[in-house]
Amino acid sequence: MGVKEDIERLKKEKKAVILAHNYQPPAIQDLADIVGDSLELAIKAKEATEDLIVLCGVQFMAETAKILNPGKKVILPVKDTGCPLADQLTPDMIKEARKNHPGAAVVVYVNSSAECKAEADVACTSANAAGVVRSLEETEVIFGPDSNLASWVQEQVPEKEIIPVPPDGHCPVHAVFEIGDTEEAKRLDYCIVCHPECEKSIRDKSDFVAPTGGMMKIASEAGRWAVLTEKDMTYRLSKEYPEKEFLAYEKSVCKDMKKITPEILRNSLETEDYEIVLDEEEMNRARGAIERMIAIRS
C-alpha cells in the first residue's frame, strides 16, 4: 500500500481527523480532511467528534485545538514546529503592559502561546482582529505580538488606542515583501492582495488587505492575483479557482510549516505522536479568551 492508502486506513482505525493550515505543503493539504486558516481550524477542532485530532500546522495551533476540545487527543506530527512570531510575546510582557496601562483590554493574536492566551482577555485571528477590538468596551487595547497587524487594526478601528506589545513584533514570512514587489506586480497587471501582517508600506500599495480566509472569498473579483503571503496559500487558491492565475513568492516561506511530510504524517498516525499536553488550569484560563475569539467571526 502507498502512503496515502496507509493514512486513510489509519484514520479509520484511529477515528482521526486531519486538520491542515493553508501554509502546509500541497501534499499535506491534499491529505487533510479540513484545510483552513487559524480561525477555521479552531472552529473545526472545537466541533470535532473524532477521537484523535491531527493538527498539521505549528505548536500554537495544536495548543488551541487541545484547549477547545480537551477531551480529545491532539497530536502535532512534528514536535519542533514553532512560530517565530509567537516567540516574540511572553506572559511577563503582558503583565508589564497591564501595569503600565491599567484598565486597558488585552488582545492576543492566535499566533501566541497558551501561556500568553491565559493572560489575555480575548484572542483574535487576522480574520476577526478588527471585529474583536471593535467589540470591546475599553478604549485602550494592548495588542500582541504582531505590530503590523496591530497597526492595521488601528486603521480599521480608529476610535480605539492600540498599544502593540512588543512594539516591533513581526512575522518573518511577511517581512520579506518590498515595495519593488508591488511595483512589479502592478507593471505586470496583477491585482495585489497582501496579508495584514505585512508592513504598512506594502498594505498601502496593495489593492486588497485580507487574511488567508479572506483571500479565498475575494479571489473571484479578479483574474490575475499577486498573493503577498506564504507561498503555498496559492495552492489552495488555485484548487478553488483553477481558471485564475495566482503569483506566489518563493521567498515567503514558513519553514516550520514545511516540516510535515506525508511519511511523517503516516508515522504520526501510527504512533500518535506528538501529543499536546497542557496544564489544566492554564487551559481553563486560555479557553475563555479563545471562546470569545470564536464568537466574533468578523
Side-chain angles (χ1 to χ4, degrees), residues 62-98:
E63 288 180 351
T64 300
K66 181 64 178 179
I67 291 166
L68 288 172
N69 209 335
K72 305 296 182 182
K73 187 172 187 178
V74 178
I75 60 174
L76 186 64
V78 176
K79 191 174 185 178
D80 60 338
T81 49
C83 172
L85 172 60
D87 292 343
Q88 293 171 51
L89 182 67
T90 67
D92 285 343
M93 288 180 183
I94 298 173
K95 293 174 184 177
E96 183 66 21
R98 280 195 187 273

Side-chain angles (χ1 to χ4, degrees), residues 171-192:
C171 170
V173 173
H174 292 98
V176 300
F177 295 109
E178 303 170 320
I179 292 298
D181 295 320
T182 62
E183 292 173 343
E184 179 69 2
K186 286 289 186 184
R187 188 183 70 80
L188 297 173
D189 200 30
Y190 282 99
C191 190
I192 302 172

Side-chain angles (χ1 to χ4, degrees), residues 78-193:
V78 176
K79 191 174 185 178
D80 60 338
T81 49
C83 172
L85 172 60
D87 292 343
Q88 293 171 51
L89 182 67
T90 67
D92 285 343
M93 288 180 183
I94 298 173
K95 293 174 184 177
E96 183 66 21
R98 280 195 187 273
K99 289 181 183 178
N100 295 333
H101 301 276
V106 174
V107 177
V108 296
Y109 196 17
V110 71
N111 298 44
S112 61
S113 67
E115 294 95 332
C116 287
K117 291 183 178 75
E119 297 295 332
D121 297 307
V122 58
C124 73
T125 70
S126 52
N128 71 353
V132 165
V133 169
R134 195 176 288 116
S135 74
L136 298 170
E137 294 182 1
E138 294 86 351
T139 56
E140 276 192 320
V141 180
I142 297 162
F143 189 104
D146 194 286
S147 62
N148 291 320
L149 180 61
S151 75
W152 181 77
V153 171
Q154 182 70 83
E155 293 169 1
Q156 307 306 305
V157 195
E159 66 271 22
K160 305 284 188 178
E161 181 185 354
I162 309 299
I163 303 157
V165 178
D168 57 352
H170 67 281
C171 170
V173 173
H174 292 98
V176 300
F177 295 109
E178 303 170 320
I179 292 298
D181 295 320
T182 62
E183 292 173 343
E184 179 69 2
K186 286 289 186 184
R187 188 183 70 80
L188 297 173
D189 200 30
Y190 282 99
C191 190
I192 302 172
V193 60

Side-chain angles (χ1 to χ4, degrees), residues 50-72:
E50 291 82 2
D51 295 338
L52 181 66
I53 299 173
V54 186
L55 203 299
C56 293
V58 293
Q59 181 75 25
F60 75 81
M61 297 176 185
E63 288 180 351
T64 300
K66 181 64 178 179
I67 291 166
L68 288 172
N69 209 335
K72 305 296 182 182

Side-chain angles (χ1 to χ4, degrees), residues 16 23 32 36 52 68 70 92 113-114 141 152 165 181 185 197 199 205 222 226 230 240 246 252 296 298:
Y23 296 166
L52 181 66
L68 288 172
D92 285 343
S113 67
V141 180
W152 181 77
V165 178
D181 295 320
E197 289 179 25
E199 294 179 359
K205 293 291 184 179
E230 213 278 346
E240 185 72 20
F246 298 98
S252 182
I296 302 170
S298 62

Side-chain angles (χ1 to χ4, degrees), residues 192-193 208-210 213-222 225 241:
I192 302 172
V193 60
F208 294 91
V209 179
M215 291 178 186
M216 294 298 296
K217 295 175 183 177
I218 67 170
S220 62
E221 297 189 22
W225 288 92
Y241 300 98

